[in-house]
């Protein structure tokens, strides 16, 4: 029954109807002209393929003239094919144009699926969103990232945003990002990361973190390996986001206290931080791959390499460690032994989650040995 319904659905599409009409016209015209011309004009109409060739040339008004009807019946068929062909060609052109225009309109309205891969999905919207997008493009100097926005902004506002980033391959999906449908249209399964912003465009300040938490739970339950970066307004909600397995959590104005205090107690430090954190500044902090030959060697050797070869200041190393999940080594029979192992591992706090952990090691000892999975943190 499902196959029959699928066939009916396909046949209802305008482009399929036009194609079937075109095929039917070609078949009928080819059959009739072959019937009239086979005996009178055998040198040109030797097979059914010759009559199909003539019908296609006539329908598309190419007019090669290599095959032509000479009988009264054949020419009457040609006249019908000419008129029907002009109408069908106009209909084909209009149908194809309508499909592309409709697709473009749906895409602009955020209703079309987007087949990006290795992209960044930004869910929610607030006054920091445009600045975050700008900064992503400024920091991605070598390969421009692909970004999909998922929110429910009014059409006029989202069009302004899309116009600003028209050259940067920023796309838009309209919908509630706590639900699966909009995220699937954004091809979340092939995304590199999801950024969850407090959606102050639709809900009030106090409820923004609740929606971020719900979205994190929904995404992590289906895509446990996907990196989720959550931005929250209230520090008290940080513990809930950690339990929801958000990979990174940022709190609104979390560094404001430190910056204000340091500006009083250590004048000049604020200017240093502003310079380092400014994506347009001369000096920026970056994470770079460590050359293979330095893996297993001392930190001081890597420090000298970046200093002498690149004029970079090595600040430390960073690594992403994949946690081992219980499902990676327990069997599927849910035996008492498996349950006992799981219980003991959880009691010992031995990384049972599916998420990855980022470990930062700033200014390690000179004799620290560089590990295989580490990247260098440098000040350019």
């Amino acid at each position: 029954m499902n196959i029959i319904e699928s066939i009916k659905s396909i046949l209802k599409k305008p482009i399929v109807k036009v194609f079937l009409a075109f095929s039917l016209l070609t078949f009928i015209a080819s059959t009739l002209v072959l019937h009239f011309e086979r005996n009178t004009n055998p040198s040109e109409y030797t097979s059914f393929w010759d009559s199909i060739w003539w019908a296609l040339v006539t329908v598309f008004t190419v007019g090669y003239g290599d095959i032509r009807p000479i009988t009264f019946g054949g020419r009457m068929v040609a006249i019908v094919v000419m008129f029907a062909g002009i109408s069908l060609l106009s209909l084909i052109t209009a149908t194809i144009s309508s499909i592309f225009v409709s697709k473009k309109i749906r895409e602009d309205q955020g209703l079309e699926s987007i087949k990006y891969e290795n992209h960044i999905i930004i869910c929610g919207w607030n006054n920091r969103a445009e600045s975050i997008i700008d900064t992503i493009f400024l920091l991605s100097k070598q390969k421009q990232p692909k970004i999909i926005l998922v929110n429910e902004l009014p059409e006029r506002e989202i069009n302004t945003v899309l116009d600003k980033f028209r050259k940067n391959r920023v796309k838009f999906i309209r919908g509630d990002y706590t639900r699966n449908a909009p995220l699937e249209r954004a091809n979340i399964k092939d995304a590199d990361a999801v950024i969850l912003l407090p959606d102050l465009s639709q809900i009030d300040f106090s409820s923004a973190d609740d929606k971020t938490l719900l979205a994190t739970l929904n995404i992590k339950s289906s895509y446990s390996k996907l990196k989720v970066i959550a931005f929250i307004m209230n520090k008290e909600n940080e513990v809930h986001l950690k339990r929801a397995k958000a990979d990174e959590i940022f709190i609104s104005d979390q560094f404001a206290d430190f910056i204000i205090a340091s500006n009083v107690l250590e004048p000049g430090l604020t200017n240093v931080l502003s310079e380092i954190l400014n994506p347009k500044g001369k000096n920026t902090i970056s994470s770079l791959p460590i050359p293979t030959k330095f893996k297993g060697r001392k930190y001081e050797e890597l420090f000298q390499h970046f200093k002498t070869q690149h004029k970079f200041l090595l600040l430390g190393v960073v690594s992403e460690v994949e946690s081992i999940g219980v499902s990676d080594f327990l069997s599927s029979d849910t035996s008492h032994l498996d349950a006992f192992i799981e219980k003991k591992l959880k009691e010992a706090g031995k990384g049972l989650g599916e998420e990855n952990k980022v470990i930062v090691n700033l200014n390690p000892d000179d004799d620290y040995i560089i590990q295989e999975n580490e990247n260098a943190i440098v000040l350019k």
Side-chain angles (χ1 to χ4, degrees):
M1 187 65 182
N2 291 333
I3 297 177
I4 296 175
E5 293 297 328
S6 298
I7 294 174
K8 288 182 178 179
S9 176
I10 292 173
L11 293 177
K12 289 180 181 179
K13 294 182 178 180
I15 189 65
V16 175
K17 291 180 178 179
V18 173
F19 177 76
L20 290 176
F22 174 80
S23 301
L24 185 62
L25 173 66
T26 303
F27 176 78
I28 294 175
S30 300
T31 303
L32 290 175
V33 79
L34 183 64
H35 171 73
F36 289 121
E37 299 292 327
R38 173 177 289 176
N39 296 326
T40 307
N41 193 10
S43 61
E44 294 185 3
Y45 292 89
T46 59
S47 65
F48 188 64
W49 165 247
D50 290 329
S51 60
I52 289 179
W53 170 255
W54 168 83
L56 291 174
V57 169
T58 305
V59 168
F60 287 105
T61 65
V62 178
Y64 285 135
D66 55 337
I67 300 177
R68 62 195 185 282
I70 60 175
T71 64
F72 175 80
R75 289 180 176 178
M76 290 301 296
V77 172
I79 292 173
V80 174
V81 170
M82 291 175 194
F83 280 105
I86 293 174
S87 303
L88 273 178
L89 283 178
S90 300
L91 193 56
I92 290 172
T93 303
T95 302
I96 294 175
S97 299
S98 175
I99 291 172
F100 281 106
V101 170
S102 176
K103 181 178 176 65
K104 181 62 177 175
I105 292 174
R106 286 178 57 82
E107 186 176 310
D108 289 342
Q109 292 177 342
L111 303 176
E112 194 73 21
S113 295
I114 300 172
K115 300 302 181 182
Y116 275 172
E117 293 181 356
N118 306 120
H119 53 291
I120 300 170
I121 300 176
I122 300 180
C123 299
W125 196 260
N126 56 32
N127 57 359
R128 291 178 181 264
E130 285 193 43
S131 178
I132 290 172
I133 298 172
D134 274 325
T135 305
I136 290 174
F137 288 122
L138 283 172
L139 295 177
S140 306
K141 297 178 181 178
Q142 295 182 346
K143 184 179 179 181
Q144 190 180 67
K146 295 169 285 188
I147 295 178
I148 298 179
L149 309 177
V150 182
N151 56 58
E152 297 178 89
L153 278 178
E155 187 173 346
R156 179 178 298 179
E157 292 185 37
I158 195 62
N159 285 340
T160 302
V161 175
L162 294 177
D163 287 339
K164 179 180 178 180
F165 298 105
R166 187 68 65 181
K167 296 180 180 179
N168 301 110
R169 298 193 294 180
V170 175
K171 300 293 185 179
F172 168 63
I173 295 292
R174 180 175 299 282
D176 182 355
Y177 56 85
T178 62
R179 300 182 179 276
N180 289 328
L183 297 176
E184 289 173 357
R185 283 191 280 123
N187 198 25
I188 188 172
K189 65 182 179 65
D190 293 323
D192 276 346
V194 176
I195 300 175
L196 298 174
L197 301 178
D199 196 358
L200 303 180
S201 64
Q202 294 291 322
I203 54 181
D204 56 43
F205 184 92
S206 60
S207 302
D209 288 353
D210 295 338
K211 190 169 184 177
T212 301
L213 175 60
L214 182 59
T216 303
L217 289 168
N218 182 41
I219 293 171
K220 279 297 186 179
S221 65
S222 302
Y223 311 96
S224 59
K225 298 294 184 180
L226 182 61
K227 186 174 185 179
V228 175
I229 303 169
F231 188 108
I232 58 177
M233 307 298 295
N234 192 339
K235 183 173 176 58
E236 294 179 357
N237 293 318
E238 183 179 10
V239 63
H240 303 305
L241 266 297
K242 287 182 178 179
R243 290 173 181 169
K245 301 186 183 301
D247 297 276
E248 301 287 347
I249 303 170
F250 293 92
I251 306 164
S252 179
D253 299 325
Q254 63 179 327
F255 301 115
D257 297 342
F258 171 79
I259 293 174
I260 293 172
S262 63
N263 196 39
V264 175
L265 301 176
E266 301 180 30
L269 183 58
T270 303
N271 294 334
V272 174
L273 293 174
S274 298
E275 175 65 23
I276 292 176
L277 298 177
N278 183 4
K280 297 181 180 180
K282 181 180 178 181
N283 302 107
T284 57
I285 295 178
S286 298
S287 175
L288 301 177
I290 297 175
T292 305
K293 65 180 181 179
F294 288 100
K295 300 297 176 67
R297 293 167 64 177
K298 292 183 179 181
Y299 176 80
E300 62 178 345
E301 297 180 50
L302 183 63
F303 183 94
Q304 292 299 326
H305 166 76
F306 279 111
K307 186 66 176 178
T308 57
Q309 298 296 322
H310 304 284
K311 306 299 180 183
F312 295 162
L313 178 62
L314 182 62
L315 302 178
V317 292
V318 61
S319 61
E320 187 172 20
V321 180
E322 184 175 354
S323 298
I324 300 176
V326 174
S327 58
D328 293 330
F329 56 87
L330 295 184
S331 62
S332 58
D333 62 1
T334 63
S335 66
H336 293 294
L337 178 59
D338 283 352
F340 175 77
I341 294 173
E342 181 178 354
K343 177 182 177 182
K344 290 301 181 183
L345 284 173
K346 287 183 177 180
E347 289 176 355
K350 295 297 184 180
L352 297 174
E354 300 292 338
E355 75 278 3
N356 298 338
K357 294 182 179 180
V358 177
I359 299 176
V360 179
N361 190 355
L362 292 177
N363 192 28
D365 295 334
D366 289 343
D367 58 355
Y368 174 81
I369 302 301
I370 304 299
Q371 305 299 312
E372 282 291 334
N373 61 338
E374 290 179 328
N375 283 348
I377 307 171
V378 299
L379 177 63
K380 294 182 178 181

